[in-house]
Amino acid sequence: MSQSSLPQELREPMARAIRLEYWNIFWTLTIIVTMGLVLGQSETMKTAWIEDTLGLVPPIMFLIAAHMERHSHRSRRFPFGFERVNGLGFFVAAVALTAVGALLLYNALMALGTQEHATVGSIVILGHDLWLGWLMLAAQIYSLIPPLFIGRKELPLAKQLNDKLLHTDALMNKANWLTGAAGLAGIIGLGLGWWWADSLAAAIISVDVLNDGIKALRSSTAELVDGAPRALSSTDLSQDAQKVCDRLQAEFPDATVRLRETGRLIRAEVHDTHPPSECRHPRHYWPDDEDRAWRLAQVSFIPPMEADEKS
Amino acid sequence: MMRGAAFALLLLGACDALPRDPAGTSARIERNRIFTVALADPALRSAPQVGRLVEEIERRTKARAQWRSGSGEPLFQQLDEGRIDLVIGRFTADSPWAADVAFAPALSTSGTKDAPIELKAAIRNGENRWIMTVERASRAISREARDQ
C-alpha cells in the first residue's frame, strides 16, 4: 500500500494539474497587476479586481493540498495520511468566496442606494490625454482571455482526479466571461453617463462570486460532516457513490450501506452483515470501469450484535 | 490602407464620444456658454495660475466663467449639488473631501514635505467629461500637473 495518500494511478494527472495551476497563478497575477494599474474609483473595477485576486485562493489551496497528498506520509499522528487536506482546502476557498462575495454585494448595493457617482478621469499616455475608462475596458478584455483557456484545460483533469477544488476553479474560470461581460457593460455604461451602471455591474459580479461560494460551501461542509459523497459540480449526491451503494446493496440485501467521502476517495461501511468468506480488495466492489476503481478506498463490514442475530 | 485609416478615424471618433456626464454638466456649459467658478479662498483671485486655468477652460469650452462668492465647506456642498461647476483652492494632499469631490492634478505645491498643500481645482464627482476637460486644462497650463 502506498505510504502517501494519493492513489498510484493519479500521480501523472496530478503532476499535470500542478503544472497547470502554476501557470494559472502566473496568468492570474498578470491580470491582477494589469487591472490594479487602472482601477480608479470604479466600483465595477474594484469588484472585478477583488474577484480576480480571490481567483488565486483555489489554485494555491490546490497546490498546498497536492503537496501534502503527494509528499506527506502516513504516520502515527496521521494514520490516514492527508487525503482530506483537499477537502479542507475546498472549505477554506468556499469560506473566502462566500465572505468576500457578500461584502462586495453589500458595497455595491450601498453605492446604488447612496447614488454614488464614480469618477473616472484621464491619464496621459505618450503625451495624449486618454480617458482611463478605455484602459479599464482593455484590462477587462485581457482578464477574460487566460481563464478561458485554463478553465478548459482544468475541467478534464478535475474529472479524472475527482478533485472538487480543481473543478470549482475550472468552473469559475470558464464562467469568467460572464463577469467580464458585466464588467465591460459597467464601464461602458459609466462612460455613457449612466452612474448606476457601474454599481449594478459590481452587484452582478458579486452575486456570481457569492453564488460560487455558497455552492462550494454546501458541498465542502457535506464532506466535513461525513455526508454522502457529492457530485463534482453540484450539491447532488455523486452518481459513482450511488452505483457503489447499489452494488453493495445487491450483494448484501439485508445490510445498511453507509458511504462517506474523504477528499477524492469513497469509504463504505456495510452494517449488520458478515463479511464475505474470501478476502477481497475494496476495488472488487467498484461497479463500473476499472479506471476509477481507485475511488473506493475502503469497504468495512460491521456484523450484527449477537442478540440481534439470535432474534 | 484606406480601410485602416478609416477604422482608425472611427476609433478616434468613438474615443471622443466617451465619457459623458451623468448630470450633463459639459452639455449644459456648451449650451449656455457659461460655467460657474468659486474660490475656496478669495485671496487666490490674484494668483496667476488660477487666472490661467480659468482662461484655458474658457478657451477649451468656448464658454465664459461666471464667478461666485463663498468660501470653505459650503462651496463643496454646492459643488456636490451641482450648483457650482468648479472650486479652486489650496487643499491638503490627503483632503477629507477627496471621496466627495474629484480633484484635478495640482497646479503647484507649497507647505512642508510632510504636509503639502496643493493649488488645484475640485469638480463634482462622476461628471467625467467635465472632469477630463478641467484635468486637460490643468495639465496644459502647469508643468507640475503634467508630471503627475
Side-chain angles (χ1 to χ4, degrees):
Chain A
M1 190 176 179
S2 166
Q3 274 305 295
S4 76
S5 312
L6 191 70
Q8 197 61 39
E9 47 272 77
L10 297 187
R11 296 205 160 254
E12 194 271 329
M14 180 58 98
R16 273 190 289 144
I18 288 171
R19 272 198 302 278
L20 186 61
E21 287 304 68
Y22 275 118
W23 277 112
N24 188 5
I25 289 173
F26 168 75
W27 286 111
T28 307
L29 285 173
T30 67
I31 291 170
I32 291 168
V33 171
T34 311
M35 296 275 280
L37 287 173
V38 294
L39 269 188
Q41 271 189 28
S42 161
E43 207 63 47
T44 305
M45 288 299 287
K46 276 184 246 171
T47 309
W49 185 78
I50 293 172
E51 193 201 19
D52 290 329
T53 309
L54 267 182
L56 283 175
V57 177
I60 289 173
M61 294 312 300
F62 174 83
L63 287 176
I64 294 171
H67 177 83
M68 295 192 77
E69 264 189 285
R70 281 177 6 138
H71 300 295
S72 301
H73 296 292
R74 300 175 202 281
S75 63
R76 272 188 69 196
R77 288 169 67 84
F78 294 98
F80 292 97
F82 292 91
E83 62 206 46
R84 297 191 85 162
V85 171
N86 184 280
L88 182 64
F90 187 41
F91 178 71
V92 171
V95 170
L97 279 176
T98 310
V100 178
L103 189 71
L104 292 175
L105 183 61
Y106 172 78
N107 283 345
L109 292 177
M110 283 298 285
L112 267 177
T114 54
Q115 301 190 5
E116 256 178 41
H117 288 40
T119 290
V120 177
S122 60
I123 188 170
V124 181
I125 292 180
L126 302 171
H128 293 278
D129 289 283
L130 193 69
W131 182 48
L132 194 58
W134 292 117
L135 297 185
M136 290 178 176
L137 287 174
Q140 285 273 10
I141 291 169
Y142 172 66
S143 77
L144 292 180
I145 300 165
L148 212 64
F149 289 102
I150 290 168
R152 274 174 195 277
K153 281 183 171 290
E154 279 177 327
L155 214 50
L157 280 173
K159 283 180 181 157
Q160 197 177 351
L161 292 165
N162 203 77
D163 197 299
K164 285 178 186 164
L165 195 50
L166 197 62
H167 196 265
T168 303
D169 193 30
L171 289 187
M172 276 172 67
N173 279 330
K174 268 193 82 182
N176 201 50
W177 67 268
L178 189 74
T179 56
L184 289 174
I187 302 298
I188 291 172
L190 187 70
L192 288 169
W194 303 333
W195 66 266
W196 44 264
D198 186 44
S199 303
L200 187 66
I204 291 170
I205 297 171
S206 48
V207 165
D208 186 51
V209 175
L210 188 61
N211 186 38
D212 282 340
I214 290 172
K215 268 199 291 187
L217 201 58
R218 284 181 64 191
S219 204
S220 60
T221 45
E223 183 189 328
L224 289 177
V225 297
D226 280 347
R230 300 295 201 265
L232 260 186
S233 55
S234 72
T235 51
D236 297 340
L237 298 184
S238 149
Q239 281 191 344
D240 276 354
Q242 192 56 53
K243 284 178 185 169
V244 170
C245 187
D246 293 344
R247 160 79 179 79
L248 289 166
Q249 206 73 72
E251 188 168 343
F252 308 100
D254 297 328
T256 305
V257 178
R258 290 179 195 157
L259 300 181
R260 64 192 174 100
E261 205 168 20
T262 55
R264 64 190 87 250
L265 305 176
I266 294 173
R267 294 181 184 274
E269 287 179 10
V270 188
H271 288 252
D272 303 326
T273 189
H274 290 282
S277 51
E278 78 273 27
C279 187
R280 290 172 179 174
H281 192 275
R283 293 186 184 194
H284 169 83
Y285 296 101
W286 188 256
D288 275 341
D289 54 277
E290 295 272 310
D291 289 353
R292 311 239 333 140
W294 56 263
R295 279 206 77 198
L296 191 55
Q298 180 188 349
V299 179
S300 306
F301 290 88
I302 296 96
M305 301 281 281
E306 275 180 32
D308 292 343
E309 277 185 296
K310 278 173 190 163
S311 65
Chain B
M1 182 74 181
M2 285 294 285
R3 276 186 188 173
F7 182 70
L9 278 174
L10 200 73
L11 209 65
L12 278 173
C15 279
D16 200 44
L18 298 185
R20 295 182 196 160
D21 300 329
T25 303
S26 298
R28 173 174 49 76
I29 291 170
E30 196 181 328
R31 202 170 49 245
N32 300 342
R33 303 212 174 263
I34 282 175
F35 63 94
T36 48
V37 193
L39 295 172
D41 172 10
L44 280 174
R45 191 70 192 261
S46 56
Q49 278 181 316
V50 171
R52 280 170 60 204
L53 176 64
V54 173
E55 278 169 24
E56 182 64 23
I57 297 171
E58 284 179 326
R59 190 184 68 75
R60 285 171 181 265
T61 56
K62 298 182 181 69
R64 187 168 49 81
Q66 194 173 67
W67 291 88
R68 294 276 176 86
S69 58
S71 62
E73 227 165 273
L75 283 180
F76 283 114
Q77 192 64 37
Q78 289 180 50
L79 191 68
D80 192 38
E81 290 165 2
R83 287 188 282 142
I84 291 180
D85 298 319
L86 201 62
V87 173
I88 305 172
R90 291 192 195 280
F91 307 107
T92 52
D94 52 352
S95 167
W97 286 95
D100 300 300
V101 297
F103 285 111
L107 304 173
S108 62
T109 308
S110 56
T112 61
K113 199 178 175 183
D114 291 335
I117 295 170
E118 297 173 336
L119 175 65
K120 56 191 175 184
I123 316 114
R124 187 183 186 187
N125 244 352
E127 296 296 280
N128 293 323
R129 193 172 193 83
W130 174 233
I131 290 169
M132 267 188 78
T133 304
V134 179
E135 283 177 340
R136 281 173 168 163
S138 302
R139 290 189 191 112
I141 65 133
S142 158
R143 189 185 176 84
E144 190 174 324
R146 269 198 299 280
D147 292 342
Q148 280 169 56

